[in-house]
């Protein structure tokens, strides 16, 4: 079995919990509170912004035949941010002066620290899981959301053929990388696979709960 | 006013909340549950372990006259871990096979990402605040804890003259670094000062609450 | 005076030596040996390839308003490599299986180490000087080279308006960064300005001399 | 055969050239010019100083059981620098205000870039080869140098049992790492083994020739 299939099977209980999250189901069913989705949008804008340094930091460690794909992802993310700003504006959501929530900040630090201190195959595992989780999560929403919903354009973005192609590319390459590494590195990759899944679940939880910083009253967060 | 004094004044509301945390007060008063303190001990062992790569990652960016002090901190931390293992054993706490909690993992990623992606003065700010918060927090506990408590040796470690000397050294150097940087970098330093304080508060909160991973049932965490 | 003007004036004796290099003059005058230029082409292909990880490594440290420009440079460099391969083929130069010369390898290590261990403004200085040196050097060649020369397309590439625009952008931004930093960092930037100029000179020297590895007979290099 | 034995056999022609270098033989025979050895001493002082950030940068990537040994190497190197200053003073050599030569600067950049952008096993290869080359080289000198030579204390330092123990430790660990990695990484390790050997040879060549910066007249170097 390929590395990705094996790992997806292994983390399935967490993965299902993620896909079954109330944030996704309420968005799909049109029952999500406007402020809840708006909060997610503000936080996710910061997250997408932070994905740029993460992917950039992977490039110096990448095999040469990965560089073009990773390099092309940077202008794509810049365009995605532009789209975000346009759509947010039309939905009346203000993306300026947003501070990252605790979970968002933590997840971004995890991405960066992985890119710098981990091996390429380990950090690439984190990238794949983050993108795959996004695709699968938004496919859940796509299955039921009204196409007239003001949130529909977001659903479209991460369920597009282009995005699916990117996730498929990452999956194929991760399977290849996993074949080449030694046993200790493969074990690390498997731990990071699970850990990234847990961060993804935490992100939906943060979006749904409007989390404040641990130990601080809500207005400080 | 020096940079550190100015910043400590600015973040005072969060700092006080940290010093006033029930975990510290209950440890001071001898009312903390054994399992609560044991949980903190297991998590903090992992945190001290992770401080080694953090400090090591600062060294290549450090001015030459900082290298000896930072380099000497690494064997000191190794000795601290040894002490941890001894004391944990005598208190009947098992430090093996512990997984980092969400907040612990997040804080460690924040340390590493700061060391790699931030300027030296910015990452040094994170180091100072983490050490200063530790010193001040354990001084709260020291003020009332029974010297016969099985947890007393931990209190002693982080309230010792040697540890105070280290914190004072960091404070003096941070003040000096802050004088030398430009306005944009000083603003970043000030944001990281607050952010590190918030992570410290979150760490006590995690210790007291026995936090599980967001969105996962307790046994998964 | 702006930082760049001040520094260019300061390193002028080395800069002039670089622009006055026999490799440039012989290429301009059409007297360069085919194998000499081919050797440069093979080495420079590797150097351009290595500029991709260098620029990528700058991105996580960059201010947000630099990210789009740096990110866009990566696909541009990929296209430049494509051009290189096409032009090399039409000139009968084989770019496969080339090993970096000593000076080339050293220069690339200097780029990477600067991106990782230096502050952003310091590493950005290295980027600017490398690009500015290229533009000025090829302008020397452009002033006299026969447009029918098989090497003309290379001259065109680095003397184009687009490339000039990039160098001008870097110059403006470096001047701005230099205004914001403290005195110690500005001194480091000034040392790196000179050092990069010296590496650029060494690169032409390597191209002209067909250098072998120090201490090794020619066929080993 | 172990990885190190296999690689040492493979690079033997370069290794022998290194051990056979006139700088080592003249130092052994007492015929080296005072200024030649003094020049080496000034450059090597800078190199040892630069080994501190290199080793520090390895620590965050190291397996946990390597951290104590690498961490202990930092204070050891600080003590070595102290020794250097004392011995230089007694030999009338001024170590202040020395600029790195081209080869020295290049080698240091190679160390740093390897620590940051390469996998741990790859960067550890560079560390081992640099230390092993030093031990073997100074053993050549030790075989014949007069114990009354003013340079003798240097010979003693790098041929001591303590230093041999360090090199043996690195060799055992590198052999272990090489068993664990995949084929692509092992190939990279083998290329870095050769490359580091070539940098070591270049260092003796620089010491013997009093090299100036390529393309610059001697007084500029």
């Amino acid at each position: 079995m390929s590395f990705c299939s094996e790992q997806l099977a292994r983390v399935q209980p967490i993965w299902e919990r993620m896909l079954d999250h109330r944030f996704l189901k309420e968005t799909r069913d049109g029952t999500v509170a406007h402020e809840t989705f708006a909060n997610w949008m503000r936080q996710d804008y910061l997250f997408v912004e932070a994905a740029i340094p993460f992917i950039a930091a992977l490039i110096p460690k990448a095999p040469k035949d990965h560089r073009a794909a990773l390099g092309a992802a940077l202008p794509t993310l810049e365009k995605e941010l532009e789209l975000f700003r346009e759509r947010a504006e039309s939905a009346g959501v203000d993306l300026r002066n947003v501070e990252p929530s605790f979970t968002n900040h933590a997840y971004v630090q995890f991405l960066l620290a992985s890119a710098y201190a981990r091996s390429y195959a380990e950090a690439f595992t984190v990238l794949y899981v983050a993108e795959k989780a996004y695709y699968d999560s938004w496919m859940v929403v796509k299955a039921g959301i009204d196409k007239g919903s003001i949130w529909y354009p977001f659903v479209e973005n991460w369920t597009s053929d282009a995005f699916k192609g990117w996730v498929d590319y990452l999956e194929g390459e991760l399977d290849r990388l996993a074949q080449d590494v030694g046993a200790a590195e493969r074990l690390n990759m498997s731990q990071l696979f699970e850990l990234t899944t847990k961060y993804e679940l935490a992100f939906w939880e943060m979006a749904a709960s409007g989390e404040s910083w641990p130990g601080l009253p809500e207005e400080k967060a």
Side-chain angles (χ1 to χ4, degrees), chain A:
Chain A
M1 209 189 334
S2 79
F3 176 74
C4 291
S5 306
E6 176 197 300
Q7 292 300 314
L8 286 168
R10 192 176 69 82
V11 305
Q12 198 187 356
I14 314 173
W15 203 270
E16 303 246 305
R17 200 172 266 272
M18 173 184 83
L19 298 186
D20 205 44
H21 201 278
R22 68 188 185 284
F23 178 80
L24 298 174
K25 289 194 291 192
E26 291 175 7
T27 303
R28 178 193 66 198
D29 300 340
T31 59
V32 71
H34 186 280
E35 177 48 25
T36 300
F37 198 87
N39 174 49
W40 167 81
M41 198 188 291
R42 285 188 293 260
Q43 291 296 323
D44 203 58
Y45 180 75
L46 294 181
F47 188 79
V48 171
E49 208 172 55
I52 293 174
F54 169 53
I55 292 179
L58 291 177
I59 293 176
K61 297 175 152 187
K64 281 187 190 171
D65 62 359
H66 277 200
R67 281 187 192 166
L70 295 174
L74 303 184
T76 302
L77 285 166
E78 295 286 352
K79 260 177 244 148
E80 197 166 298
L81 288 171
E82 180 63 36
L83 214 66
F84 239 96
R85 287 189 293 265
E86 283 168 27
R87 288 166 184 184
E89 203 184 345
S90 74
V93 176
D94 189 353
L95 297 179
R96 289 165 307 169
N97 303 317
V98 181
E99 289 296 314
S101 69
F102 177 60
T103 296
N104 194 358
H105 190 267
Y107 194 178
V108 166
Q109 307 306 301
F110 169 52
L111 295 182
L112 276 177
S114 300
Y116 278 111
R118 299 295 198 143
S119 79
Y120 181 69
E122 289 165 9
F124 195 85
T125 304
V126 175
L127 172 61
Y128 164 69
V129 176
E131 299 290 37
K132 169 72 172 164
Y134 239 59
Y135 179 72
D136 281 12
S137 294
W138 289 106
M139 284 302 279
V140 167
V141 179
K142 196 188 191 181
I145 193 173
D146 189 315
K147 289 194 177 181
S149 159
I150 58 166
W151 312 126
Y152 187 71
F154 286 94
V155 182
E156 236 179 345
N157 189 44
W158 288 299
T159 56
S160 67
D161 285 351
F163 191 69
K164 185 182 186 317
W166 167 242
V167 174
D168 287 348
Y169 165 76
L170 295 175
E171 184 160 323
E173 293 306 302
L174 182 55
D175 281 336
R176 205 163 325 195
L177 288 168
Q179 276 175 350
D180 265 4
V181 300
E185 194 170 354
R186 196 176 301 108
L187 183 61
N188 289 339
M189 289 167 73
S190 132
Q191 288 169 342
L192 287 163
F193 202 107
E194 181 172 337
L195 208 42
T196 312
T197 308
K198 287 163 78 177
Y199 270 102
E200 283 290 329
L201 171 59
F203 204 88
W204 296 133
E205 192 65 19
M206 171 276 287
S209 71
E211 152 204 284
S212 60
W213 201 277
L216 281 184
E218 232 166 273
E219 59 277 272
K220 284 294 304 179

